[in-house]
Amino acid sequence: MTYKMILTETQGRVSLIRLNRPDAANALNRELIRELNHALDRFEDDEDSGCLIITGSENVFSAGAEIREMKDKNFTDMLYENYIEEWEQLTRVRKPVIAAVAGHALGGGCELAMMCDFIIAAENAIFAQPELGLGVMPGAGGTQRLTRIIGKAKAMDMCLTGRSLLAQEAEQSGLVSRVVPCATLMTEALSIAQKIASMPTTATLMIKDAVNSAYETTLSEGISFERRSFYALFSTSDQKEGMNAFLEKRPARFRKRPQTDL
């Protein structure tokens, strides 16, 4: 498939998706989201892909949902089209997904970044949920994921006033995992993604599932889920290779698709 609104490339076991609507500040219209979903499916099915990165340009990650596409819709249109549902495909990707954010991540752009597993921000990154000024509210997780990540007070402040979080405050608030110089954002993101992609695949997927389950279960249920996953990994060849390599003081050689002892 030839994409019009995103660019894709592969570097080793890392798959990179770049939002590419420079004339519209990478606004998220339905065509872009469908192209993004197609690329996500393609990389998800590719055994040579171990980690994904989603990024924008040096000055804007995404300015949010495409206003021109939404402005004339009514309640019935939005309800029957289930307009935002297509965005949620990103949250169902099993492989680790990193958002590399430079410049503005506003509204839907901020929400898209939060759907990724974690965010690496350039020093010029700016996060905001300004939907109230358009007569609406966040609709792709801005009141839900944001509140769980940074807490009620800051989320309420951002959603009710539209105020921005700059990169350093976003890191302090837990929205961003780390802040790096603008010039090295992609170098840092690729290095982190390559490290993740080099790790044992089954354990990587299980860690992502376990951390995500912490948001939706009680502590006791989450601990039980984690423990079962931990025990299950002892059926994989990666566990044998990793522990033997450690004891033999040599680098581990993990397989793309490990064998099991079952």
Side-chain angles (χ1 to χ4, degrees):
M1 178 177 178
T2 301
Y3 300 122
K4 297 179 181 178
M5 300 191 176
I6 63 171
L7 301 172
T8 64
E9 64 178 285
T10 299
Q11 295 195 25
R13 298 200 67 224
V14 176
S15 302
L16 177 64
I17 302 172
R18 186 181 297 276
L19 309 181
N20 187 43
R21 292 189 71 201
D23 295 336
N26 291 336
L28 304 170
N29 63 5
R30 300 194 83 170
E31 185 176 357
L32 186 151
I33 293 297
R34 287 169 180 168
E35 289 187 2
L36 173 63
N37 288 343
H38 184 277
L40 292 172
D41 282 342
R42 181 161 59 90
F43 290 136
E44 180 85 323
D45 292 339
D46 184 358
E47 285 191 11
D48 290 328
S49 176
C51 187
L52 285 64
I53 298 174
I54 297 178
T55 192
S57 70
E58 296 178 356
N59 298 312
V60 59
F61 178 74
S62 172
E66 177 60 77
I67 305 303
R68 290 184 179 86
E69 190 174 75
M70 295 188 296
K71 69 181 184 66
D72 294 326
K73 293 185 183 296
N74 58 33
F75 168 73
T76 303
D77 295 332
M78 297 298 280
L79 179 66
Y80 279 85
E81 291 177 19
N82 205 1
Y83 188 81
I84 298 295
E85 177 58 28
E86 289 179 303
W87 297 36
E88 289 292 321
Q89 184 169 328
L90 177 55
T91 67
R92 294 187 284 270
V93 174
R94 299 189 66 202
K95 294 176 180 177
V97 184
I98 300 170
V101 176
H104 290 83
L106 309 181
C110 183
E111 291 169 313
L112 187 75
M114 288 191 289
M115 291 180 190
C116 298
D117 294 311
F118 61 93
I119 301 170
I120 301 170
E123 291 174 327
N124 70 339
I126 301 172
F127 301 87
Q129 298 289 163
E131 289 90 344
L132 188 57
L134 299 172
V136 291
M137 61 179 282
T143 65
Q144 302 301 304
R145 292 188 180 94
L146 188 64
T147 302
R148 285 166 169 78
I149 294 169
I150 69 174
K152 176 185 174 182
K154 279 188 178 290
M156 198 73 83
D157 188 1
M158 288 180 68
C159 292
L160 290 178
T161 70
R163 92 170 179 94
S164 301
L165 286 189
L166 303 184
Q168 294 296 339
E169 185 178 1
E171 182 184 27
Q172 293 164 6
S173 301
L175 180 59
V176 165
S177 67
R178 60 184 87 183
V179 177
V180 300
C182 298
T184 63
L185 173 64
M186 293 312 301
T187 301
E188 297 272 0
L190 285 165
S191 176
I192 294 164
Q194 287 162 356
K195 181 173 184 179
I196 293 171
S198 73
M199 296 297 178
T201 303
T202 303
T204 298
L205 299 180
M206 285 189 171
I207 286 172
K208 177 168 175 171
D209 284 346
V211 173
N212 283 333
S213 75
Y215 276 97
E216 299 180 7
T217 62
T218 64
L219 177 60
S220 61
E221 290 171 329
I223 291 294
S224 178
F225 181 87
E226 176 190 77
R227 193 161 298 153
R228 288 194 303 272
S229 300
F230 174 71
Y231 293 159
L233 288 169
F234 281 77
S235 70
T236 67
S237 58
D238 279 342
Q239 174 266 325
K240 305 299 185 291
E241 169 62 15
M243 291 190 175
N244 284 331
F246 176 81
L247 293 173
E248 294 165 9
K249 296 181 172 54
R250 62 172 175 81
R253 296 182 292 272
F254 297 119
R255 303 183 183 193
K256 295 175 187 175
R257 183 187 287 270
Q259 295 176 339
T260 68
D261 297 331
L262 299 178

